[in-house]
Amino acid sequence: MAKDQINNAVDQQQIQYKSGMTRRDSLKLMMALAASTLLPAVLTGCDSAPVSKTDTGAEAAKTTSEHWPELKLSPITATGYGKDPNLILPPASPWPLTLTQAQLTLVAVLADILVPREGAVPSASEVHVPAVVDEWVSAPYERQQQDRVTILSALAWIDDEAQMRFSKTFVALTKVQQKAIMDDIAFDTAETPAQFKRIASAFGRFRSLVLAAFFCTPEGTKDIGYVGNVPIGGDYPGPTKEAYAHLDKVLADLGLTEYAYPIQT
Amino acid sequence: MKDFDFEVLVVGSGAGGSMAAYELTKAGHKVLMLEAGRDYDPKTETPMFKRNGEAPLMGAGTIDKDFGYYDATVDGGWNVPNEPYTAADGSEFLWWRARMLGGRTNHWGRYSLRFSEHDFKGKSRDGLGADWPFDYEDIAPWYDKTEALVGVCGTNTGLDDMPPSSDGILQPPPKPRITELLIAAAAKKLGIPLAPMHRAVLTRPLDNRAACFYATPCGHGCSIGAAFQTTTSLIPMAKATGNLQVITDAMVKSVDTDENGKVTGVSYVDKKTSTVHQLKAKVVILAASACESARLLLNSKSARFPQGLANSSGQVGKNLMDSTGANIGALVPALQGRPIYNEDGHTANHLFIPWWGHKAQERKELDFPRGYHFEIGGRFSEPNSGIAGYVQGYGPDLKRQVKQNYGAYIGFALRGEMVPNEHCYMDIDPEVKDKWGIPVARFHWKWSEHELNQVAHGLKTAKAIFAEMGADVGELPTPEQAILKGGEIIHEVGTTRMGASPKDSVTNQWGQSWDCPNLFVMDGGVFASNPHKNCTLTIMTLAMRNSSWLSAQLKQGAI
């Protein structure tokens, strides 16, 4: 695929998320791209400017009682990758993907609200997090099937909420309107209002999955700072001076200095 | 195998079977090894540098690959197609099998702690369980030989739970990580020491195996041979003598005997063709793993052995033990945002918490008889499907939270000794058979108060250590909630235990069955007790020692 075609494909994600490539194909592609050029910042995440209540219409439209979509999901009947899959070249598409185009687009928008582009670090959808979410919720294993119910319900709830508040799908809302809903459901704490408890918990599961999918990409792994999996000649070097210095301070703060384990540097 | 005139038949290619084959072939005996799983070549099949993001589901564990996509185990796990097992009413037990050449050694944790004199004589100490039929001094030289051959890193600590190796045996351990150093200080304040873990990982090259290069997760397997697995060490070394041949996909269904009760060989199913074959041998060594060897014996009934082979004591299948297990962890605020460096090292414990309470138990200050240790998790590891942790919100601040918490979660895994009890055993299911028509194992299981009290103590201790680190593990679960299932730690042993008398044991101290002099057991089945220390080093040590004895017997014509 030529570079401009890829850029076009990425551009279209603004309206409709395309997930034509398998994730592992896309990983290869993204790595190739990273070597040749910087990806354009086509998707913007939420902005962090304060939002006034009049902008969001929140006072008028905010739901005050719990609603929950009762989804009728057809069961996943695909088989798994089996007990002896190829570990060197994993199957490109281990099972059929099941998210609809509309769901994928919503996942992409939400994923980029959760993990927006920051400078040179791409957003979640730029590194194909929606494809991973699709693979996950389409997987024929027990844990993933549970997550499927949770996550698809959350997606449906978010569109229901958008309709109730603003008479549009979530994707069609303004960023300010999207943020208003996010502010109600993205914090699962003791203070979360009763009507948002269930969605906050379900959205939390979605958030964990998006974060995992992001940090497992080469870009995300680099962003979190993981520096391992690099062959080292000679003995394992152990902590850096900076890391030891930090430990010393931690031990001092905790009153543990006199119990420090002897270090041979 | 028409042109291979073998003397000894070994069932199983894992730790015990491969060590037996190595020792015997080196001594000049022709050995034929049968493995129920498929052939496996770590040189070409190990996904050494593969990242989670390249695997389905970010490498997360599934029923197909319990320990994650890239776990080296192929065709195995707690659930093996075509090979069911059952549990009696009210019992729950998980039975791990690795159906591949090299067995579980391809993926194990490689923790290699010696049992001590204390561990071998539990019954003499507190009246529970059974003593082993030899002393630590008898086996110490064999631990040395095994550690030198296998390649174990660690140090002599002087701690009473860690008997020293002879000088020059252990390879140097890797430097501790920051998380381990913090735990060490917090624990020491409570009078609990940490020590370098002993692991079957090379930090110096040995024979044709390379030293660890401190990259790639050990659980993926190790094609460079640094992390011990029999497929990169003992099996090729035994083959190099010209005295070993291996048949894979060979599911042994019975051990065959003649009218005098002497073992004549085995019958096995070739899984590829579903045909049954018989092999004759002078000596049969069972090293199929504890419960598989016991299953074989119980299924090998004859007019002379109506209760199953080698079972005149009625002890085959009894005394089933696993290690106790429980997990507890927390976010340690003091470690949030700490300076990042490469914490892979070899990808398991550099320091751990050995059992420190022998003296307190002698003084009867504790309400449980046997010890435990803590294995430690928590480092800057490669992101996986669980990387997010507990975070809130969205946007740039969300990612900042994950980064802030990266490397700040610490988990303790308790591994403790279980005392055998009458409720924990395996027998043969009267109805269920596997795909090959072989009656399957049925498990019976119940933890006793010894294990529950031990786990309760472990949880409280861990909470106290976390508190010294400024971390809160929250409200503790009850031990009944916290203790993992039987079989879940995959340290099941004891089903063909050794002893001093044929009345209450299945084999003598050489793993030789009391009932049939040419039938040996060389897997964890022979354990008379299951100290909290992971079992594989002792399985290998016993297999080496007992194969050496067997070789002498063969050469003297005694067998």
Side-chain angles (χ1 to χ4, degrees), chain A residues 23-24 83 141 183 188 236, chain B residues 53-54 64 342 392 394:
Chain A
R23 176 162 54 89
R24 276 169 292 285
K83 304 295 285 186
Y141 299 109
D183 286 337
D188 187 11
Y236 171 64
Chain B
E54 298 172 72
D64 282 334
N342 182 347
Q392 295 287 319
Y394 59 90

Side-chain angles (χ1 to χ4, degrees), chain B residues 15-27:
Chain B
S18 293
M19 183 61 89
Y22 170 81
E23 189 69 21
L24 290 165
T25 54
K26 212 169 49 99

Side-chain angles (χ1 to χ4, degrees), chain B residues 16-134:
Chain B
S18 293
M19 183 61 89
Y22 170 81
E23 189 69 21
L24 290 165
T25 54
K26 212 169 49 99
H29 304 281
K30 299 270 187 207
V31 174
L32 178 64
M33 175 184 274
L34 298 180
E35 165 53 49
R38 75 160 169 88
D39 197 8
Y40 173 71
D41 176 15
K43 294 254 189 270
T44 58
E45 296 193 61
T46 307
M48 287 283 276
F49 283 94
K50 291 286 182 177
R51 296 294 183 90
N52 293 322
E54 298 172 72
L57 307 175
M58 296 171 270
T62 66
I63 195 170
D64 282 334
K65 297 280 288 183
D66 302 88
F67 287 93
Y69 190 79
Y70 288 126
D71 179 65
T73 309
V74 296
D75 271 343
W78 280 302
N79 155 57
V80 178
N82 306 319
E83 298 182 33
Y85 54 94
T86 62
D89 285 350
S91 286
E92 211 172 7
F93 187 87
L94 297 170
W95 187 22
W96 178 271
R97 277 89 32 97
R99 293 294 188 229
M100 62 193 299
L101 187 68
R104 308 183 200 184
T105 67
N106 293 300
H107 89 121
W108 60 308
R110 297 171 171 99
Y111 294 139
S112 298
L113 299 163
R114 289 184 180 207
F115 297 179
S116 65
E117 177 62 20
H118 189 92
D119 294 320
F120 287 119
K121 300 296 173 190
K123 185 172 186 182
S124 297
R125 232 171 45 244
D126 57 29
L128 299 167
D131 284 345
W132 293 63
F134 55 77

Side-chain angles (χ1 to χ4, degrees), chain B residues 475-487:
Chain B
E475 197 179 325
L476 291 178
T478 65
E480 289 85 355
Q481 291 166 333
I483 197 166
L484 297 174
K485 292 170 187 164

Side-chain angles (χ1 to χ4, degrees), chain B residues 116 118-119 125 159-163 354-366 368-372 417 532-533:
Chain B
S116 65
H118 189 92
D119 294 320
R125 232 171 45 244
L159 297 169
D160 64 2
D161 199 38
M162 299 180 78
W355 176 236
W356 67 94
H358 292 126
K359 293 285 182 291
Q361 280 175 327
E362 269 171 36
R363 294 190 299 266
K364 306 209 182 307
E365 291 168 3
L366 301 178
F368 58 97
R370 305 290 171 87
Y372 62 87
E417 177 166 356
H532 64 86
K533 301 155 183 176

